[in-house]
Amino acid sequence: MTIDLTLNNGVTMPALGLGVFQSPPEETTSAVEAALATGYRHIDTAAAYGNEREVGEGIRRSGLDRDEVFVETKVWVSDYGYDETLHAWEKAAGKLGLDRLDLLILHQPAPDRFDRTVAAYRALETLLADGRVRAIGVSNFMPHHLDRLLDAVGVVPAVNQVELHPYFTQPEVQAADAAHGIVTQAWSPIGGITFYPGWGEQRRNVMEDPLLAELARAHGRTPAQVMLRWHLQQGRSAIPKSVDPGRIAENFDVFDFDLTDEELARIDGLDAGVRNGPDPDVARPERFAMAIPEA
């Protein structure tokens, strides 16, 4: 059993996907293969992750028909611009071994060069019109970024992928997305960004939150499963990352229980309003300049 979301252009997308951020290339193929064997039908990657080729290999090894797997990837900032983004599609499709992508999104708003962001999005619109992608979207866009983009383009993004977990629920972003018919997709959906090594040892680990532990015990589940169920019941897409087959399977086992409205509200109440990932409004020239290899 899975849950599908209908995007604003009529395309359906499995709500739960496997994320491969920080998955080493040498472990990504087996993780994708394990996820697809478990029942996942949505894989999220990005040019900047350096593992698109391994994602494609995992899909091929699964033996599934191409149309059975929803493949999402992202254009990095160094490839923003109209012609550059058209070429970014060629690079991504080549590495993935696909002639069509299901969802292609811009990885950052990059407000320090927003004219190039807009040009990149117009290239996504061309790719959509040409049938080379089935849906287009954005990532890490705050409401003011969305407003600037929508003033300049014709196609409303289908998806906005943002940091979202119980300690950082981004209600304003969710409301802005909903107002435009954009699906909110959660990266770090189980709070991984709060406990990744090197991301700040003083951060609270949402996996150890007492309320989530309480709800997990009540439902005979894990805190991670409770968080993923919270996302799904509130209509979001979630892309938990793991390379461990057991954890990959555990994260997918979330379709046969329900949280009550009161429980959902209690999880919402954990929001601390503190971002743990990079601030989308802060320019990162060195990171943004990272070149994406041709092959």
Side-chain angles (χ1 to χ4, degrees), residues 141-175:
F141 272 53
M142 299 299 99
H144 55 283
H145 302 139
L146 280 176
D147 288 342
R148 288 182 68 188
L149 182 72
L150 291 172
D151 282 344
V153 302
V155 177
V156 176
V159 169
N160 184 15
Q161 184 186 116
V162 296
E163 179 187 349
L164 207 162
H165 48 77
Y167 285 174
F168 191 57
T169 64
Q170 303 224 64
E172 296 85 3
V173 173
Q174 293 196 63

Side-chain angles (χ1 to χ4, degrees), residues 191-224:
I193 198 73
T194 66
F195 60 89
Y196 284 148
W199 280 89
E201 301 308 319
Q202 302 306 311
R203 294 176 179 173
R204 293 188 300 151
N205 182 348
V206 67
M207 295 282 278
E208 298 173 355
D209 187 87
L211 171 61
L212 294 171
E214 172 195 328
L215 296 178
R217 286 192 299 271
H219 289 275
R221 300 287 170 156
T222 66

Side-chain angles (χ1 to χ4, degrees), residues 69-90:
V69 184
F70 189 97
V71 181
E72 171 180 4
T73 191
K74 310 175 192 71
V75 179
W76 186 241
V77 180
S78 57
D79 281 336
Y80 283 9
Y82 186 81
D83 291 335
E84 294 88 343
T85 296
L86 293 179
H87 184 55
W89 176 90
E90 294 177 351

Side-chain angles (χ1 to χ4, degrees), residues 99-154:
D99 57 11
R100 186 191 72 248
L101 304 177
D102 296 293
L103 176 61
L104 185 59
I105 66 180
L106 302 184
H107 207 144
Q108 296 285 342
D112 63 323
R113 63 201 74 191
F114 206 72
D115 56 335
R116 296 188 67 81
T117 303
V118 170
Y121 193 84
R122 287 179 174 149
L124 297 190
E125 293 179 314
T126 295
L127 293 165
L128 179 68
D130 290 349
R132 285 180 280 178
V133 299
R134 298 175 63 227
I136 59 176
V138 295
S139 182
N140 299 303
F141 272 53
M142 299 299 99
H144 55 283
H145 302 139
L146 280 176
D147 288 342
R148 288 182 68 188
L149 182 72
L150 291 172
D151 282 344
V153 302

